[in-house]
Amino acid sequence: MSRAVGVVVAVVLCALGLSTAEGSPAWADSTAGGDLQVAQTLGGRDLTFTLRRVTGLPGPLYVDVLTHRGTAAGTLRLGAVPTGVSADRADGASVGTVTSSASVELGGTPGSYGAALEIDRAGPWELVVDDGTRTARIPFVVPGQVTSPPERVVFGGFVSAGALILVTLFVAVRARRGGWVLVPAGGVVAALATAVTAALLSASLPAPPEPGREVDATQDNVSDPYAVVRPVTSDSSRPPASLTLRPFTARATEPGTLRLSVHDGATGLPADDLIVHDSALMHLLVIGPTGELWHLHPIRTAPGTYEVQMRLPVAGHYAVSAEFARRGGGVQQIRSATGLTVTGDARHGTASALPAALAPQEPGTRVIDGVSVRLSASSLRAGTASTLTARVGDTPTLQPWLGMVGHMIVVGPLDKPAATSPTRMGGAAQDAPVWAHAHSMGGEMGMSAHDMTSEHDLGGMPDHQMTGAEGGAKDGDASASGSMSGLMPLNGDSPADETVAAYGPDVAFVYTFPSAGYYRVWIQAERDSAVLTAPYLLHVSPAGGAQ
């Protein structure tokens, strides 16, 4: 009898050893995402909102507002609005109404200003930001803390095994025949085998679709994504979206509002499935006739509707493109087919001479906003990966902007008169075959680029190139391997934000210019809470030709 008990104990210890030897299994309910950073151009303010993760329900949502140099002081009113629908009407009783509100007092110096809102349920929400003139609506998702089916099997198996161990010991002590102890002992082995098998197999089970990124978020699928039965594999891609600019009626030097509409390419309905990509719902690039570049982040005011306030300095043509990511569909960069044409008057006509800060220069040293910027470039040859390194200042005090240490906007190829004209750059950019947006993500190079060719090249579809440290080079672009220098989140941590001034001063990019000619390049980096934009002019030689 004691021998049988010893066998049972040995089996239990072996099973527990197998289960713990594997470490914590990666069950498919991982919802420990990092904080959400969203850049917004709200009126005349360029702000970055950081929504801290909600760690318990009900609980606080801490919102930090990061400001830049030159941001006007004032008050922002914040509100939390649940937006998800539910099969239970009681769960959606307050949908569409503000359930919690707070105010943020922005100071006149750059920094972080915070407030807290109360969140009482899991599901999709909107952060409503009101500056007294306009209202931005930022969607976000509060995930529910749920137990996955494999976890339930594991816990149930060990609980059953524990109960059966007690039964086995009782039978071993009270039964007159030792053979009876094998019945509950077999149950212990079966329960432990089930628990250990579930723990080992759970790591290979597919995760359910992530509400808010892969599928539309509702109150029910966020609270329990396992309750919604879905096929293991599915095609959730979205068709391309179309971008429409509404009339911009402001004249040169006058403030005006640029409104944009994003529609689904298949249905024509407003596309309200844009997700946060590179810390923004939408990245808007505007290139003016003098070559001035605006990199803005329009606010979402309604489903598929975005707007940004602009004061365009001179009359002439402005080229416009937007970059965004759709839920389940990936990144798109779409060039406006029309751009903007701004009128002026006798006092504010077209520009006749470029300011020194806007004049493009060949690689070398220039001063932008009092900061020395030196660009060096190698292998400027079509079809060959080129390395461009900008030294911004002389100390490692750069701050991440939009999650990256540096940005590079490339437009071309252009003929030399257009590339150097003080009045034609907007029109030249409108017709340029290639637009590119490259990222430098750390001191050791990590880069992703999104290229856009003119719509007529591919029947209205932009050519989309991307490189990244995790995926290697694609479509002819090169990417140098290396560290992300602490910018990328690990183990659910949040990436470094703009309060960390510890990067650079070298900002490196790798890009493959597809064809020969002149290219306008803008290098962007943040230092001392100000985003610096340094324009350059590059001449790319033909493939195999002389420099």
Side-chain angles (χ1 to χ4, degrees):
M1 187 178 301
S2 60
R3 185 176 182 181
V5 174
V7 171
V8 172
V9 172
V11 170
V12 171
L13 292 177
C14 291
L16 290 175
L18 287 174
S19 63
T20 57
E22 293 296 325
S24 299
W27 289 310
D29 68 332
S30 177
T31 55
D35 301 335
L36 180 66
Q37 298 180 18
V38 186
Q40 297 277 266
T41 304
L42 184 62
R45 299 184 176 105
D46 285 317
L47 307 172
T48 300
F49 292 85
T50 302
L51 284 64
R52 305 298 179 185
R53 74 187 77 178
V54 178
T55 57
L57 293 172
L61 167 69
Y62 295 102
V63 180
D64 293 334
V65 184
L66 295 173
T67 64
H68 300 96
R69 190 194 309 167
T71 299
T75 301
L76 298 181
R77 287 172 289 277
L78 308 182
V81 178
T83 59
V85 296
S86 173
D88 186 349
R89 292 186 178 182
D91 289 341
S94 60
V95 167
T97 62
V98 176
T99 60
S100 178
S101 60
S103 295
V104 177
E105 296 293 336
L106 302 181
T109 59
S112 179
Y113 304 87
L117 300 169
E118 287 297 321
I119 302 296
D120 60 1
R121 72 188 72 175
W125 291 74
E126 283 184 352
L127 174 66
V128 179
V129 183
D130 182 4
D131 68 351
T133 303
R134 57 195 60 80
T135 301
R137 297 181 175 274
I138 304 173
F140 66 98
V141 174
V142 177
Q145 302 298 320
V146 298
T147 302
S148 68
E151 283 182 300
R152 290 194 287 267
V153 173
V154 172
F155 296 152
F158 280 116
V159 169
S160 300
L164 288 172
I165 287 174
L166 297 178
V167 174
T168 301
L169 295 176
F170 178 80
V171 172
V173 172
R174 300 297 299 270
R176 296 182 179 180
R177 299 180 60 181
W180 286 107
V181 77
L182 297 178
V183 176
V188 172
V189 174
L192 289 174
T194 301
V196 172
T197 301
L200 296 177
L201 294 180
S202 62
S204 61
L205 295 178
E210 182 182 353
R213 294 194 64 87
E214 297 175 311
V215 296
D216 294 336
T218 67
Q219 195 77 17
D220 296 332
N221 67 15
V222 174
S223 300
D224 187 3
Y226 299 97
V228 182
V229 178
R230 299 182 183 278
V232 175
T233 59
S234 62
D235 181 10
S236 58
S237 63
R238 297 289 195 267
S242 62
L243 176 70
T244 303
L245 305 184
R246 299 183 185 179
F248 184 79
T249 57
R251 299 163 68 91
T253 73
E254 297 177 350
T257 300
L258 175 60
R259 293 181 172 86
L260 308 98
S261 298
V262 182
H263 291 86
D264 183 88
T267 64
L269 298 175
D272 198 33
D273 55 2
L274 273 60
I275 60 176
V276 174
H277 158 68
D278 291 343
S279 299
L281 288 168
M282 177 183 291
H283 299 264
L284 190 73
L285 299 177
V286 180
I287 299 176
T290 62
E292 186 172 359
L293 171 75
W294 290 265
H295 183 169
L296 306 172
H297 305 97
I299 61 173
R300 173 180 172 270
T301 58
T305 303
Y306 295 79
E307 69 176 44
V308 63
Q309 182 176 325
M310 300 188 68
R311 188 190 295 268
L312 300 177
V314 297
H317 189 77
Y318 292 76
V320 179
S321 77
E323 179 182 312
F324 51 79
R326 300 188 68 186
R327 182 180 303 120
V331 179
Q332 300 180 43
Q333 189 174 21
I334 302 178
R335 186 108 53 97
S336 168
T338 59
L340 302 173
T341 299
V342 177
T343 60
D345 53 30
R347 293 179 303 164
H348 304 102
T350 57
S352 58
L354 283 177
L358 299 181
Q361 296 181 9
E362 295 182 354
T365 302
R366 63 181 309 161
V367 177
I368 302 295
D369 198 13
V371 179
S372 174
V373 181
R374 183 172 73 250
L375 179 67
S376 59
S378 64
S379 302
L380 291 179
R381 193 185 306 277
T384 301
S386 301
T387 300
L388 295 89
T389 302
R391 168 157 287 201
V392 183
D394 54 7
T395 58
T397 55
L398 299 184
Q399 301 160 265
W401 184 49
L402 308 175
M404 320 291 174
V405 170
H407 298 256
M408 181 175 71
I409 311 301
V410 180
V411 171
L414 309 167
D415 57 42
K416 189 172 183 179
T420 57
S421 171
T423 59
R424 294 174 48 194
M425 189 56 213
Q430 180 73 48
D431 300 326
V434 174
W435 285 44
H437 180 183
H439 295 149
S440 177
M441 301 177 71
E444 291 185 36
M445 167 61 133
M447 192 272 284
S448 79
H450 312 298
D451 286 18
M452 182 180 72
T453 60
S454 57
E455 285 77 358
H456 58 77
D457 291 341
L458 295 174
M461 288 288 293
D463 177 27
H464 189 190
Q465 297 180 3
M466 180 181 296
T467 65
E470 71 278 7
K474 300 178 182 178
D475 296 336
D477 276 42
S479 174
S481 62
S483 166
M484 295 295 101
S485 297
L487 290 183
M488 301 305 290
L490 298 173
N491 299 324
D493 293 336
S494 300
D497 58 30
E498 297 173 50
T499 61
V500 180
Y503 300 98
D506 291 336
V507 183
F509 305 88
V510 172
Y511 182 70
T512 300
F513 294 92
S515 55
Y518 287 88
Y519 288 81
R520 290 291 297 269
V521 172
W522 295 264
I523 304 292
Q524 292 190 300
E526 183 175 353
R527 188 174 186 269
D528 296 331
S529 297
V531 177
L532 307 176
T533 301
Y536 285 93
L537 176 65
L538 303 180
H539 179 252
V540 177
S541 301
Q547 289 281 358

